[in-house]
Amino acid sequence: MTSSQELFDRAKTLMPGGVNSPVRAFGSVGGTPRFMVNAKGAYLTDADGRDYVDLVCSWGPALVGHAHPDVLAAVHAAVDHGLSFGASTPAESDLAALVQGRVPAVERLRMVSTGTEATMTAVRLARGYTGRDLIIKFAGCYHGHLDSLLAAAGSGLATLALPGSAGVTAATAAETLVLPYNDLAAVEAAFAAHGDRIAAVITEAAPANMGVVTPGEGFNAGLSRITTTHGALLILDEVLTGFRTGPAGYWGLTGGAADANEHWTPDLFTFGKVIGGGLPTAALGGRAEVMDYLAPLGPVYQAGTLSGNPVAMAAGVATLTAATAAVYAIVDARSLELSAAVAAALSAEGVDHSVQRAGNLFSVAFGTAANGVHNYADAQAQEVFRYAPFFHSMLDSGVYLPPSVFEAWFLSAAHDDAAMNRIFAALPAAAKAAAAAKA
């Protein structure tokens, strides 16, 4: 019995399913979850002492690599001054200023502790600001585990094939309109029917929780146009894409900061993952007029004992400071290199697939070569059964992939030639395993 198996057996007696986040249980790929004890650069080490090239990167935060020396130094220095003060600190403004410098549309920022808390607060703020109740979300987009947005969500819910969650009341669910992604006509129809009741549309800047899905040309700009016309807000969820797909996130690649011919700017952003550099930090931000509806200035209440935690702020500041143009250039190049290698290996074995991209994020969808994946229905229709053998072949070769086909692949600036060559060497056997898989 491996150490990971022993640790998993113990964990199952102490925690539901033995985990504190469902995808970690390997439910969709089977086998024993690896219990990790160390991370450095592009590598993870499990409890049995085996190392893996990491293509999860803590689900995004490790943009500059695990245990980057500048980030560790900043965290150690912050720890020396205390772990938590329950009061304001200079570091909160330091991180907010870095965010505002990268995303000029963020006129005000409120720090919170998790991506779920950021989206929850953004939804509450939108309702408070507009005086309306309904929220539009898109099937397959995941915005954290708040009740009203756990309808046709992606991420773990896609992995577990659950349409929603027990414990969410019918009344709460009725406050959310779930529409097909990449379908502006459906959005127009929803506003025609309910326009004076819709507080906001929330969307992932580029969905990455049903696998990666590229927003259609003009889709996000269209959402901005429609919400503005009807007096609703547009909430752009960049918890995953923010500061990872580029210095200003996916909006910086495609929105008002990038293309004068397709100018669009959301009213609110939500951030997480990279903004905390691996520690629990998230934020929401946007127009001052809207953000100032939050307490203590406005009537929308939000509070958090650990919001703006000084150690997490230090990690965030150090990570964003280290995330230079050179870092993004490396991650972008490695992403293109790896996705091309994956496609070539699968094609060599005759495996029908498409590679789904959004900036430097990508995923593989099996059985989708003809049309790709443009929405949740497309994602659910893929040949999911091919992923588990592909995943375990890579794992056996020392490459740690996301343990679900419905997740993005992540690289870091620490993925050097040695790490990449190890991944490349593992791909042919994994492609053969995927080709041999049976439904």
Side-chain angles (χ1 to χ4, degrees), residues 24-98:
R24 298 176 192 172
F26 278 29
S28 71
V29 294
T32 300
R34 301 304 189 264
F35 277 60
M36 301 303 178
V37 298
N38 192 61
K40 182 73 174 178
Y43 297 90
L44 295 172
T45 303
D46 71 12
D48 291 286
R50 189 175 186 199
D51 68 312
Y52 305 83
V53 180
D54 182 20
L55 292 174
V56 175
C57 291
S58 190
W59 301 104
L63 174 67
V64 296
H66 291 291
H68 188 282
D70 292 349
V71 178
L72 290 185
V75 168
H76 291 160
V79 166
D80 287 342
H81 293 287
L83 299 181
S84 181
F85 306 139
S88 296
T89 71
E92 295 168 275
S93 294
D94 293 340
L95 184 52
L98 282 174

Side-chain angles (χ1 to χ4, degrees), residues 100-112:
Q100 191 177 79
R102 286 167 169 252
V103 187
V106 174
E107 297 173 349
R108 297 286 188 276
L109 193 74
R110 172 62 61 89
M111 300 295 180
V112 293

Side-chain angles (χ1 to χ4, degrees), residues 370-419:
N371 299 308
V373 176
H374 304 284
N375 52 47
Y376 195 31
D378 292 342
Q380 289 180 308
Q382 69 178 289
E383 296 174 347
V384 174
F385 64 90
R386 297 195 186 278
Y387 188 72
F390 181 86
F391 169 87
H392 279 287
S393 178
M394 296 293 284
L395 192 68
D396 291 343
S397 296
V399 180
Y400 190 74
L401 298 181
S404 166
V405 74
F406 296 106
E407 303 287 355
W409 296 27
F410 300 88
L411 289 125
S412 78
H415 281 72
D416 57 13
D417 289 345

Side-chain angles (χ1 to χ4, degrees), residues 240-258:
L240 199 151
T241 54
F243 316 119
R244 171 157 274 281
T245 54
Y250 200 74
W251 177 74
L253 294 179
T254 60

Side-chain angles (χ1 to χ4, degrees), residues 234-300:
L234 175 61
I235 304 170
L236 195 69
D237 184 343
E238 294 239 34
V239 166
L240 199 151
T241 54
F243 316 119
R244 171 157 274 281
T245 54
Y250 200 74
W251 177 74
L253 294 179
T254 60
D259 187 350
N261 296 318
E262 190 184 338
H263 182 84
W264 59 277
T265 301
D267 300 284
L268 294 171
F269 295 81
T270 59
F271 302 111
K273 313 291 187 185
V274 173
I275 196 177
L279 292 183
T281 297
L284 66 149
R287 288 197 286 127
E289 177 187 355
V290 179
M291 289 294 296
D292 285 348
Y293 258 65
L294 286 173
L297 294 181
V300 178

